[in-house]
């Protein structure tokens, strides 16, 4: 409710498939530098998307939300439930997947709960819409073919240096690669925590 009220007051550019695609293309350049996260709001606004960071609710498990104010006004909301780069980028790109496919355009907001972590719902148990958003997020962050090649080459010896080298080669922060490996259960959630800036 708070996000809906705030979103009405945010000025953004006109939303279109082309404007949003251009915004997504620009966002890809930000994945390697944690300080560039500050540019996400402006880039999405240029693409016609209202982007809000909302403080997490006490004991709440909402990671993000997506809804539309009207047919041309998508809103993405990110809860700062986990204040980490991997979480920020995964939730942001997951919600971008909902916008791309116009999920929740019918007026019912999408609340994404427990997208990451030990309590995350397994991919196979998710709805088709949520699976599609997960796939979009994973490919947006690290192309599946690249990640599959890395896993095939390195499994099960995921050293910090190998993760860093792979991240540098594909132009993303190591926290994003580590988050993807954790999410896909290739490494434990405790692996290389210091990378999760």
């Amino acid at each position: 409710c708070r996000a809906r009220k705030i979103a009405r007051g945010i000025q953004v550019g006109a939303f279109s498939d082309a404007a949003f695609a251009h915004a997504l293309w620009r966002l890809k350049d930000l994945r390697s530098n944690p300080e560039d996260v500050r540019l996400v709001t402006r880039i999405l606004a240029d693409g016609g998307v209202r982007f809000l960071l909302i403080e997490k609710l006490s004991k709440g498990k909402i990671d993000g939300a997506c809804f539309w104010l009207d047919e041309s006004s998508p809103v993405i909301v990110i809860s700062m439930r986990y204040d980490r780069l991997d979480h920020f980028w995964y939730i942001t790109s997951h919600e971008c997947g909902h916008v791309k496919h116009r999920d929740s355009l019918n007026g019912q907001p999408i609340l994404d709960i427990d997208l990451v972590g030990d309590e995350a719902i397994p991919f196979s148990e998710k709805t088709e819409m949520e699976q599609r958003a997960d796939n979009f997020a994973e490919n947006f962050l690290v192309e599946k073919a690249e990640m599959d090649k890395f896993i095939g080459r390195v499994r099960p010896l995921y050293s910090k240096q190998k993760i860093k080298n792979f991240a540098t080669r594909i132009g993303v922060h190591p926290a994003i690669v580590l988050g993807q490996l954790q999410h896909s259960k290739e490494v434990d959630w405790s692996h290389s925590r210091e990378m999760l800036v």
Side-chain angles (χ1 to χ4, degrees):
C1 289
R2 177 167 167 68
R4 190 176 292 278
K5 184 182 284 189
I6 293 170
R8 293 186 196 286
I10 297 175
Q11 298 298 312
V12 298
F15 177 79
S16 68
D17 288 336
F20 184 56
H22 183 68
L24 291 173
W25 176 76
R26 289 174 60 200
L27 287 179
K28 284 195 172 217
D29 288 340
L30 309 182
R31 297 171 301 164
S32 62
N33 186 4
E35 289 78 25
D36 287 344
V37 164
R38 64 188 168 80
L39 304 173
V40 170
T41 302
R42 178 78 266 150
I43 290 171
L44 285 173
D46 290 346
V49 179
R50 290 159 173 82
F51 180 78
L52 299 168
L53 292 170
I54 302 284
E55 188 175 349
K56 70 178 182 115
L57 298 171
S58 177
K59 298 182 183 178
K61 296 186 177 188
I62 300 171
D63 291 310
C66 176
F67 60 90
W68 296 68
L69 296 175
D70 58 47
E71 290 184 5
S72 59
S73 303
V75 179
I76 290 175
V77 185
I78 305 298
S79 123
M80 292 310 294
R81 184 171 168 218
Y82 299 113
D83 188 13
R84 300 187 324 250
L85 190 65
D86 64 313
H87 183 261
F88 173 85
W89 276 112
Y90 188 79
I91 304 304
T92 299
S93 54
H94 179 94
E95 302 307 332
C96 282
H98 284 313
V99 170
K100 178 177 174 46
H101 295 100
R102 288 175 166 65
D103 299 332
S104 81
L105 189 55
N106 63 0
Q108 185 65 33
I110 296 169
L111 289 179
D112 286 311
I113 299 169
D114 280 331
L115 282 181
V116 297
D118 289 332
E119 297 177 19
I121 299 168
F123 182 82
S124 61
E125 295 176 22
K126 292 184 178 184
T127 65
E128 183 180 332
M129 177 181 69
E130 288 301 327
Q131 288 179 351
R132 187 176 59 214
D134 275 354
N135 286 333
F136 178 86
E138 289 172 9
N139 276 301
F140 179 81
L141 295 173
V142 179
E143 289 182 25
K144 183 172 175 21
E146 288 287 343
M147 184 60 91
D148 288 346
K149 281 193 268 183
F150 175 69
I151 289 170
R153 206 172 47 249
V154 174
R155 180 193 278 154
L157 305 173
Y158 296 103
S159 70
K160 292 173 179 49
Q161 195 57 52
K162 287 178 182 176
I163 292 170
K164 288 177 185 175
N165 291 347
F166 175 62
T168 299
R169 186 174 67 75
I170 63 171
V172 303
H173 193 277
I176 292 173
V177 173
L178 180 59
Q180 293 289 70
L181 290 171
Q182 290 171 334
H183 188 69
S184 63
K185 303 205 182 320
E186 287 292 325
V187 299
D188 190 73
W189 292 101
S190 61
H191 190 290
S192 304
R193 299 292 294 176
E194 71 279 3
M195 288 186 196
L196 302 178
V197 297

